Amino acid sequence: MDTGSDEQGAAALGSRAPEFIKASRPLHLSWQVGVFVVGLAVVAAGIVMLPLPGPGWLVIFGGMAIWATEFVWAQLVLRWTKRKVTEAAQKALDPRVRRRNIILTAVGLVIVAVLVGIYLWKFGMVMPWKINE
């Protein structure tokens, strides 16, 4: 049993602000408000990008990482997320799961190709510059 990593993990939680900022309560509070506002702006931009073009989830996790520099709750959320992503990646590397995913992807592509072929056979393909209004 390695408890050293747990103790290190618990010690790593908390503010990563410079010591001179942590020494002054008003300065540290201002620092926390600034980190929160910047993180909130980044998370909000990521939420806007979810339905629009852009790396929405990546930006949201970036905002969470900004919050994690100052807030324990964000650090815990990021640790949980990293753990779940690692577990999912390990499951995805399982040969049976990979084989199943490849088969499902191939079947899905065949279905899409057949549907596109049926559509083109029934309606043909008209280029946008040849559309008669």
Side-chain angles (χ1 to χ4, degrees):
M1 275 194 197
D2 180 29
T3 58
S5 63
D6 292 338
E7 290 172 11
Q8 281 181 336
L13 293 175
S15 176
R16 293 190 179 102
E19 289 302 319
F20 74 92
I21 289 177
K22 287 194 255 184
S24 169
R25 179 73 180 141
L27 189 57
H28 191 227
L29 188 59
S30 300
W31 178 269
Q32 286 180 324
V33 168
V35 167
F36 183 79
V37 168
V38 169
L40 183 63
V42 173
V43 168
I47 290 171
V48 168
M49 286 184 204
L50 287 176
L52 299 175
W57 284 110
L58 185 64
V59 174
I60 289 172
F61 288 128
M64 290 295 296
I66 291 170
W67 279 338
T69 64
E70 197 57 36
F71 303 108
V72 173
W73 60 267
Q75 293 167 2
L76 295 174
V77 168
L78 280 179
R79 284 185 181 180
W80 178 84
T81 304
K82 286 179 187 176
R83 189 172 60 249
K84 291 299 180 184
V85 166
T86 302
E87 289 171 7
Q90 288 173 347
K91 283 183 185 178
L93 293 176
D94 178 18
R96 291 180 300 167
V97 174
R98 288 184 65 201
R99 190 172 24 253
R100 182 198 68 200
N101 290 346
I102 290 171
I103 290 169
L104 288 174
T105 302
V107 168
L109 288 174
V110 167
I111 290 170
V112 167
V114 167
L115 292 175
V116 167
I118 291 171
Y119 177 86
L120 290 175
W121 174 70
K122 185 157 180 102
F123 299 107
M125 186 166 87
V126 178
M127 293 295 159
W129 51 86
K130 292 185 178 180
I131 295 177
N132 296 326
E133 293 188 61

